[in-house]
């Protein structure tokens, strides 16, 4: 508001707004920009015609140590489209490669520009990246831009993932550009401000491996260890340490995805972050009916990235990381290969361990019994047969028969339910505690695709942000069923065709 008044008073006042946000608490320390030229290219965002702030994540801004009162909506719009560059920022596009649907390609930030790394007052380091900020030397034939709908989608779903307790990049703002982007249709353009522990990907390692640049691989390994696994930075076997830590984080991450029914949709190696954060919300979606073969992406014809494929695709991607690290795993190729293979082979055990922890919590199990995995598998099989809703089934499981069991009480489910009730009886915790455990791991509200799509249509076609804001608000407390709008909880009506989701290009 101060800003508008300043405008009206015209030249009588010294224009303060453009300096006000400089004191908002930004503190850049750009370690990636200091890496050699092969890692990145300096490039500024291309200014946009009419910056307009659409969404601003004030709680996230505060958690980064920013004083949100220090800048107006207009300042924020200028910052979060890249029209104004903060002092201390050193904008770069990062170089990387990636296996896309199995094929290795040189990529790089074609439409994202890393402004720099912000240090919070607590000493945490975060990439501040503008996605859709204009062309870079890596843009190939792309325009470097993004459409408003997909950027709003990433904002809402990434923030939902965070609230679900799942490691993820965050979304600080969406700002409209006032410029059209030309896809199959003409769409309004926007820029998303993404906050991440880093944007180092499996594909970043593949990039240097493909060039045979062992020095760069060593530098990148050291840099990644210092960023994400400082305890391992001084180890005698840094590359092996990195590989093991990344395996563990990915195993845990994918188990989280499986716990809530999240389908990433495009698990190319350039979309797998070494930090263990969920990265790149393109054609992702949450399951309604449980189906391991569920695919939402319009381009995933073979089901490569189907829900149930995610653990094995993660292992495949990590094998590409191990392969890239071979030259620095050990000077002797046979020893390097043996180490890589041992690490790769450990993934399935690591994943299973995390998955079992998640499934026990979903089933209210405090103790461990050898048959727990089969108990979970049997329920999933019954759900698959009944096409039961993944979220509702777990959320509505009750140790004692309820009036309205979900899924419909067919034989398979009734048998399973008896087995589960007996299992619960063998642990000392009362049902109240069981219910608390279950409710903390089985969300009541997820961003269901039909709800997300309707909210995005309202936002982009009718210019009405209210449904999206309602959805976002509900998703901030996803484990809390009380007072949630019923329309957000329900699966799509029977017969609704599966939503197709598209890469955010
Ligand atoms: P994504 O599908 O978002 O993971 O992107 C894969 C690659 O394509 C990355 O290198 C992106 O930078 C690039 N890319 C995607 N969209 C565009 C665009 N509109 N302009 C330029 N590059 C793009
Ligand atoms: Mg990507």
């Amino acid at each position: 508001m101060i800003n508008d008044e300043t405008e009206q008073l015209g030249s009588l006042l010294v224009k303060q707004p453009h300096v006000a946000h400089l004191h908002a608490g930004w503190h850049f320390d750009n370690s990636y920009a200091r890496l050699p030229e092969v890692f990145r290219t300096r490039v500024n965002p291309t200014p946009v015609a009419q910056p307009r702030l659409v969404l601003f994540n004030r709680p996230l801004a505060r958690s980064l140590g920013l004083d949100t009162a220090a800048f107006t909506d207009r300042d924020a719009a200028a910052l979060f489209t890249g029209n104004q560059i903060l002092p201390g920022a050193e904008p770069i596009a990062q170089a990387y490669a990636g296996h896309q649907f199995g094929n290795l390609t040189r990529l790089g930030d074609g439409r994202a520009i890393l402004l720099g790394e912000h240090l919070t007052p607590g000493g945490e380091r975060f990439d501040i990246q503008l996605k859709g900020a204009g062309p870079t030397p890596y843009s190939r034939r792309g325009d470097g831009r993004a459409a408003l709908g997909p950027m709003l989608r990433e904002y809402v779903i990434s923030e939902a993932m965070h609230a679900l307790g799942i490691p993820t990049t965050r979304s600080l703002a969406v700002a409209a550009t006032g410029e059209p982007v030309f896809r199959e249709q003409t769409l309004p353009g926007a820029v998303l401000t993404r906050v991440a522990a880093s944007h180092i990907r499996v594909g970043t390692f593949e990039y240097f491996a493909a060039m045979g640049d062992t020095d760069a691989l060593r530098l990148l390994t050291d840099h990644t260890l210092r960023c994400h696994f400082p305890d391992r930075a001084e180890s005698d076997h840094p590359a092996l340490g990195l590989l093991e830590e990344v395996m563990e984080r990915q195993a845990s991450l994918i188990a989280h995805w499986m716990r809530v029914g999240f389908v990433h949709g495009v698990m190319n190696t350039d979309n797998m972050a070494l930090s263990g954060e969920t990265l790149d919300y393109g054609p992702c979606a949450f399951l309604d009916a449980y189906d391991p073969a569920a695919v939402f992406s319009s381009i995933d014809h073979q089901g490569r990235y189907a829900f149930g494929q995610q653990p094995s695709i993660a292992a495949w991607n990590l094998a590409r990381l191990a392969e890239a690290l071979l030259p620095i795993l050990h000077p002797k190729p046979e020893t390097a290969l043996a180490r890589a293979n041992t690490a790769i082979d450990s993934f399935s055990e690591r994943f299973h361990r995390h998955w079992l922890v998640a499934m026990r919590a979903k089933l209210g199990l405090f103790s461990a019994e050898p048959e727990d995995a089969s108990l979970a598998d049997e329920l999933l099989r019954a759900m698959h047969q009944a096409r039961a809703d993944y979220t509702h089934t777990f959320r509505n499981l009750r140790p004692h028969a309820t009036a309205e069991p979900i899924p419909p009480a067919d034989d398979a489910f009734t048998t399973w339910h008896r087995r589960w009730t007996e299992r619960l009886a063998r642990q000392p915790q009362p049902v109240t505690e069981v219910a608390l455990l279950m409710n903390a791991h089985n969300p009541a509200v997820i961003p269901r695709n039909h709800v997300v799509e309707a909210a995005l249509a309202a936002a982009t076609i009718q210019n009405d942000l209210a449904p999206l804001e309602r959805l976002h608000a509900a998703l901030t407390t996803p484990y809390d069923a009380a007072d949630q709008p019923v329309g957000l909880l329900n699966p799509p009506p029977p017969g609704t065709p599966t939503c197709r989701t598209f890469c955010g290009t």
Side-chain angles (χ1 to χ4, degrees), residues 96 100 107 111 131 194 201 266 268 270-272 279-281:
Y96 55 86
Q100 300 187 301
L107 298 163
R111 60 165 170 169
K131 184 168 172 180
R194 184 153 73 178
R201 309 139 191 269
V266 60
N268 294 332
D270 52 301
N271 293 335
M272 183 179 264
L279 172 67
D280 234 338
Y281 292 84

Side-chain angles (χ1 to χ4, degrees), residues 152-161 447 468 471-472 475:
L152 292 174
R153 197 166 193 281
E154 171 153 349
Y155 185 107
V156 169
I157 300 187
S158 64
E159 288 304 305
M161 291 289 271
L468 200 68
L471 175 62
H472 176 60
L475 289 167

Side-chain angles (χ1 to χ4, degrees), residues 244-256:
E244 287 172 348
E245 293 288 352
V246 171
M247 294 259 163
E248 188 61 22
R249 286 215 189 162
Q250 285 297 329
S252 160
L253 178 66
I254 309 295
H256 270 299

Side-chain angles (χ1 to χ4, degrees), residues 11 35 68 215 264 301 313 363 405 411 418 434 464 469 472 490 503:
S11 59
L35 290 171
T68 58
D215 290 341
H264 182 287
H301 307 297
I313 278 292
L363 294 175
D411 286 350
R418 196 175 312 121
V434 168
D464 176 10
E469 279 167 352
H472 176 60
N490 290 332
C503 284

Side-chain angles (χ1 to χ4, degrees), residues 21 50 125 135 144 217 241 252 255 314 316 318 332 338 354 357-359 404 421 428 434 443 459 487:
H21 62 256
Q50 279 183 310
R125 177 182 294 272
L217 275 178
S252 160
W316 192 90
L318 292 166
K332 271 206 211 128
H354 287 287
V357 167
M359 283 296 155
E404 233 184 310
T421 310
V434 168

Side-chain angles (χ1 to χ4, degrees), residues 440-459:
H441 293 84
N442 293 315
V445 50
I446 51 161
R448 291 188 186 268
N449 223 18
H450 68 289
V451 178
V452 173
E453 292 307 311
L456 290 179

